[in-house]
């Protein structure tokens, strides 16, 4: 998929940000999340052999958006895309990642926390700017930035949970990323708890 297609699909999505160390355990966690009805995932490159998990998940769930997160170099971006990643996310502005995504027509979201950084992220190639960390940012920031720059869309990652997910969307968030809220303390032995968290989150958006 090209960046225009992914941007259309990612609007309003809940995007679990997946970290970990054990590839097989993390794969079980990802499959559990998908089975609850959440149809987009961000597999971070802090996970060893993240590209292998991206490839496996994309082959098994071709209709699910599978992206790569914590991408900090052009090499990581290329590795992710070559293994089927639908989108690329960075926690900060990495110009070579933005350039690569422009060249390959891949959806890109790079991090920012101030109006100046948001504009720089947009110029560097972000199709949707990632506001991060979300728990350090007021919800009013989206409307504040879009007043002078209505052409910039923003997604939030960090500090988002079932208590504020709906409010973030009401304040203009394009999509929302979730990290520890969903997966903290989760392992192969308590996937039922993960299902409960996912269902609670989905319900909170209604």
């Amino acid at each position: 998929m090209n960046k225009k297609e992914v941007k259309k699909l990612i609007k309003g999505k809940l995007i679990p940000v997946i970290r970990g160390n054990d590839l097989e355990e993390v794969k079980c966690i990802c499959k559990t999340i998908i089975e609850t009805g959440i149809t987009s995932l961000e597999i971070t490159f802090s996970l060893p052999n993240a590209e292998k998990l991206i490839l496996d998940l994309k082959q098994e769930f071709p209709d699910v958006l599978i992206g790569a997160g914590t991408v900090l170099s052009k090499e990581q971006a290329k590795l992710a895309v070559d293994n089927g990643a639908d989108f690329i996310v960075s926690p900060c502005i990495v110009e070579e990642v933005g350039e690569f995504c422009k060249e390959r027509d891949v959806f890109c979201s790079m991090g920012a926390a101030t109006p100046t950084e948001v504009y720089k992220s947009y110029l560097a190639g972000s199709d949707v700017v990632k506001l991060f960390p979300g728990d350090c940012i007021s919800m009013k920031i989206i409307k504040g930035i879009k007043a002078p720059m209505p052409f910039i869309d923003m997604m939030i990652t960090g500090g988002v949970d079932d208590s504020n997910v709906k409010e973030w969307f009401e304040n203009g968030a394009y999509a929302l990323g979730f990290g520890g809220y969903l997966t903290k303390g989760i392992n192969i032995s308590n996937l039922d708890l993960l299902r409960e968290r996912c269902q609670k989150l989905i319900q909170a958006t209604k």
Side-chain angles (χ1 to χ4, degrees), residues 115-127:
T116 298
E117 290 175 358
V118 166
Y119 187 55
K120 286 184 176 180
S121 178
Y122 170 78
L123 291 179
S126 287
D127 301 287

Side-chain angles (χ1 to χ4, degrees), residues 102-113:
K102 286 179 184 178
E103 292 169 4
R104 293 285 290 265
D105 198 17
V106 175
F107 179 94
C108 179
S109 180
M110 293 182 287

Side-chain angles (χ1 to χ4, degrees), residues 6-193:
V6 172
K7 183 173 181 178
K8 184 177 179 180
L9 289 172
I10 215 168
K11 186 174 184 179
K13 290 286 190 184
L14 307 175
I15 308 173
V17 178
I18 307 300
R19 303 187 186 280
N21 295 301
D22 186 299
L23 199 64
E24 287 306 311
E25 182 170 78
V26 173
K27 185 175 181 179
C28 288
I29 288 171
C30 291
K31 291 175 70 171
T32 300
I33 291 172
I34 293 168
E35 287 163 4
T36 67
I38 293 177
T39 57
S40 54
L41 290 172
E42 177 186 324
I43 310 300
T44 65
F45 261 73
S46 56
L47 172 71
N49 300 309
E51 72 280 359
K52 183 180 186 305
L53 180 57
I54 291 169
L55 180 62
D56 289 349
L57 289 172
K58 199 61 194 174
Q59 289 178 338
E60 189 168 352
F61 303 99
D63 296 329
V64 173
L65 286 174
I66 306 294
T70 318
V71 175
L72 298 173
S73 68
K74 177 181 178 179
E75 289 73 23
Q76 288 181 331
K78 183 178 187 303
L79 189 58
V81 171
D82 288 348
N83 280 275
D86 294 310
F87 60 92
I88 298 295
V89 181
S90 299
C92 54
I93 299 166
V94 187
E95 292 184 0
E96 65 179 47
V97 170
E99 284 299 321
F100 171 80
C101 289
K102 286 179 184 178
E103 292 169 4
R104 293 285 290 265
D105 198 17
V106 175
F107 179 94
C108 179
S109 180
M110 293 182 287
T114 68
T116 298
E117 290 175 358
V118 166
Y119 187 55
K120 286 184 176 180
S121 178
Y122 170 78
L123 291 179
S126 287
D127 301 287
V128 173
V129 175
K130 172 181 177 173
L131 289 177
F132 173 80
D135 48 0
C136 298
I137 297 171
S138 166
M139 288 187 185
K140 296 178 182 178
I141 192 172
I142 300 175
K143 290 180 180 179
I145 291 174
K146 287 185 80 71
M149 297 183 282
F151 49 88
I152 298 181
D153 293 310
M154 289 159 274
M155 60 184 277
I156 316 300
T157 301
V160 187
D161 56 33
D162 63 280
S163 71
N164 60 21
V165 57
K166 190 171 183 179
E167 192 175 359
W168 269 115
F169 277 129
E170 290 172 347
N171 275 273
Y174 195 86
L176 294 172
F178 303 83
Y181 166 75
L182 279 180
T183 58
K184 186 176 181 179
I186 296 297
N187 54 54
I188 199 75
S189 69
N190 60 357
L191 294 175
D192 284 343
L193 177 58

